[in-house]
Amino acid sequence: LIGQKAQKEGYKAYAVGGFVRDLLLGVPNLDIDIVVEQDAISFAHKIVKYLGGEIKEYEKFGTATITLKDGRKIDFATARMEFYPFPAAMPEVEETTIKHDLYRRDFTINTLAFRLNSDRFGEFLDFFEGRKDLEQGNIKVLYNLSFVEDPTRIFRALRFESRYSFQMDEGTMSFLHNALENNVLQKLSGTRIMEQLQAIVSEPNPSVIFTRALELGIIDNIFGQCTKPQQLKKDLRKTVDSVQILQEKSIIEQKDVLLVYLLVLINSYPKKAFEIVLNDFNLEKGSRLIISNFFNGGLDRIERLKSSKHLDPSEIYDALNSLSIHCLCAMMALADSDLLKNRIFLYLEELQKVDVETTGNDLKKMGIEPGPIYSKIISRLRQQKLNGQIHTKDDELNYIKG
Ligand code: CTP
């Protein structure tokens, strides 16, 4: 339908990028990227009239996005003709625009395109051997300065490597090292780094990606020299497990995961990393507070839980109460014994849910004058309940009377 419309209205439209890549790999990808050789915004307006849904346009970039009623997205971009030194002879005039547009992209596997116009619908464009690299599992940049021009591509390379079990080729690896030697990541704003870290934790196995980033010196490029790289690798592996266990139990949500990984990472870096994250990463106040609490006393709270002596459930509760879910998940990942890990898990799965049913009103009815005594009574009741001495609300009321 998009192709018919393009043909009728005199546009040239192509399906490109991740959509084509995943189509050839047989991987589901609900977002469709379309490049239009003329004005993409006006074309998108014509399409939305047909398909319905909502349109958002970004005049400055010559792009528009249609969100269909079922949630799928179609991105429209105007083909860009920036100058890049072409290694090969100029293509036929007709193909110049789309070829230029594809050449400025990150990796060859993302330069594949299909013509959508109905007269040549489905014609496959592969100017840069993208299909071969897709088949051979190569992540390959198109030009030497690709990572320097856009350092976020460093993170994208690692994500694609892990997602598809692909590998950067030798040339790409040396461009990457070259970019790191020039400290390109320090030129990226904290917000953009956060976006990339968020994208990493949305992949199926973030720990593999972070470990590769550590080995390639990418994380050091952001945070300074790692103080205990071997330990960090272990911690990252354990973080996947902790996150998975807590997600399966619906104790932690996907939106919380990035903060957990940040805590684990910062823990293996000098103080400077903590300061960079707090000051430069543009985090909201709540997240900054969580990180700050974790490293200023939070981590020490588990000291008591490390000892092998018996602890009542209420003692475990008191040690962990008021720590955020992110901190507790990170502590589980950093725990150096099963005993400690199990105690934190017990708190998360059971102890933190133990509720006192007696209310302030109940206490009033019993003739107790409101005041600080109320919270003392409630916490005493919780202690009794946690330790299994009392169970029901009647037990609670009897305990107070007694
Ligand atoms: N792109 C690029 N450089 C970037 C980001 C994107 O060249 N730093 C190009 C790639 O060609 C990519 C396209 O823009 O295919 C669309 O970007 P995006 O939707 O972010 O990428 P996908 O490849 O679809 O990645 P993902 O599957 O992770 O969404």
Side-chain angles (χ1 to χ4, degrees):
L1 189 132
I2 293 175
Q4 281 169 9
K5 196 77 189 151
Q7 192 67 20
K8 201 166 142 217
E9 303 278 348
Y11 290 84
K12 275 190 188 153
Y14 305 85
V16 297
F19 173 73
V20 180
R21 177 196 69 219
D22 288 342
L23 195 69
L24 292 174
L25 286 173
V27 175
N29 186 335
L30 296 179
D31 295 342
I32 305 177
D33 278 326
I34 291 176
V35 165
V36 184
E37 278 198 6
Q38 296 81 1
D39 177 24
I41 297 180
S42 66
F43 183 58
H45 273 283
K46 293 188 195 306
I47 297 296
V48 80
K49 272 193 200 148
Y50 267 81
L51 297 182
E54 268 186 37
I55 184 164
K56 260 197 189 158
E57 41 184 274
Y58 307 90
E59 194 109 22
K60 199 170 136 204
F61 301 106
T63 62
T65 299
I66 296 179
T67 307
L68 299 177
K69 288 188 189 98
D70 61 8
R72 279 182 302 165
K73 281 192 180 144
I74 313 177
D75 287 323
F76 295 83
T78 308
R80 282 160 65 173
M81 283 271 290
E82 287 156 15
F83 175 75
Y84 284 118
F86 261 77
M90 286 298 271
E92 290 182 17
V93 176
E94 203 205 334
E95 289 179 338
T96 306
T97 313
I98 184 70
K99 184 167 179 178
H100 270 262
D101 183 279
L102 296 170
Y103 185 70
R104 49 168 265 279
R105 288 167 185 263
D106 49 2
F107 308 113
T108 55
I109 57 164
N110 288 334
T111 62
L112 298 167
F114 282 113
R115 244 180 246 279
L116 291 176
N117 284 54
S118 48
D119 63 337
R120 289 159 81 179
F121 182 83
E123 205 177 287
F124 185 54
L125 304 183
D126 180 9
F127 297 112
F128 310 105
E129 301 192 319
R131 179 141 205 183
K132 188 191 95 203
D133 287 330
L134 205 54
E135 280 161 6
Q136 296 182 351
N138 290 330
I139 306 290
K140 190 170 168 187
V141 287
L142 285 117
Y143 48 95
N144 309 7
L145 291 177
S146 188
F147 290 127
V148 176
E149 254 170 38
D150 183 348
T152 63
R153 290 175 172 171
I154 292 175
F155 299 99
R156 290 175 62 83
L158 301 196
R159 282 202 289 123
F160 292 134
E161 274 194 340
S162 144
R163 191 193 298 171
Y164 305 119
S165 299
F166 283 8
Q167 269 213 317
M168 281 183 263
D169 75 334
E170 224 173 280
T172 302
M173 283 290 281
S174 79
F175 298 137
L176 185 145
H177 286 303
N178 191 17
L180 290 177
E181 274 162 29
N182 285 297
N183 295 323
V184 287
L185 290 178
Q186 280 159 32
K187 292 181 198 128
L188 272 187
S189 70
T191 311
R192 295 200 68 201
I193 292 181
M194 276 297 283
E195 282 166 11
Q196 294 306 314
L197 299 183
Q198 182 60 58
I200 290 176
V201 301
S202 307
E203 296 287 335
N205 199 337
S207 104
V208 171
I209 307 178
F210 281 126
T211 301
R212 177 103 164 114
L214 182 68
E215 284 167 350
L216 292 174
I218 293 166
I219 307 185
D220 286 10
N221 213 273
I222 305 171
F223 287 151
Q225 177 98 41
C226 182
T227 50
K228 36 183 177 173
Q230 294 314 323
Q231 182 62 43
L232 177 53
K233 282 186 203 169
K234 276 192 211 151
D235 292 344
L236 284 166
R237 273 199 300 275
K238 291 193 290 172
T239 309
V240 185
D241 296 338
S242 300
V243 167
Q244 196 185 343
I245 294 169
L246 297 184
Q247 271 185 330
E248 273 167 14
K249 299 270 174 193
S250 304
I251 294 173
I252 192 165
E253 291 177 51
Q254 183 58 32
K255 69 172 175 47
D256 301 317
V257 176
L258 177 55
L259 206 44
V260 175
Y261 275 95
L262 273 179
L263 293 172
V264 171
L265 288 173
I266 300 171
N267 186 53
S268 280
Y269 276 86
K271 184 104 198 279
K272 189 179 136 205
F274 170 80
E275 280 156 11
I276 290 175
V277 173
L278 281 199
N279 300 329
D280 304 340
F281 274 27
N282 210 9
L283 297 174
E284 34 180 77
K285 204 172 158 199
S287 305
R288 289 208 308 271
L289 202 64
I290 287 167
I291 296 172
S292 187
N293 286 343
F294 186 79
F295 292 105
N296 292 311
L299 257 181
D300 303 334
R301 302 225 344 231
I302 51 173
E303 285 307 315
R304 280 177 57 205
L305 303 187
K306 285 182 178 170
S307 92
S308 58
K309 87 176 209 305
H310 169 83
L311 291 178
D312 284 336
S314 65
E315 291 177 283
I316 298 176
Y317 181 94
D318 289 342
L320 299 179
N321 178 28
S322 84
L323 285 170
S324 82
I325 173 72
H326 320 81
C327 291
L328 292 163
C329 183
M331 282 170 177
M332 257 178 85
L334 296 172
D336 46 16
S337 70
D338 280 345
L339 177 79
L340 174 58
K341 197 170 130 187
N342 292 340
R343 281 175 170 168
I344 300 172
F345 187 61
L346 176 73
Y347 170 82
L348 283 167
E349 205 192 17
E350 287 178 26
L351 307 184
Q352 69 162 345
K353 294 180 195 149
V354 169
D355 246 344
V356 172
E357 289 162 82
T358 305
T359 63
N361 248 344
D362 295 325
L363 297 179
K364 220 172 178 177
K365 275 191 211 148
M366 292 170 86
I368 304 170
E369 277 300 308
I373 183 84
Y374 274 30
S375 64
K376 273 194 193 141
I377 295 173
I378 301 289
S379 75
R380 194 63 193 272
L381 288 174
R382 177 171 290 111
Q383 188 191 46
Q384 294 295 311
K385 229 169 172 175
L386 282 163
N387 293 341
Q389 322 279 22
I390 57 176
H391 304 280
T392 62
K393 184 167 180 180
D394 281 343
D395 291 348
E396 290 179 18
L397 297 175
N398 287 333
Y399 181 82
I400 300 168
K401 283 176 198 150

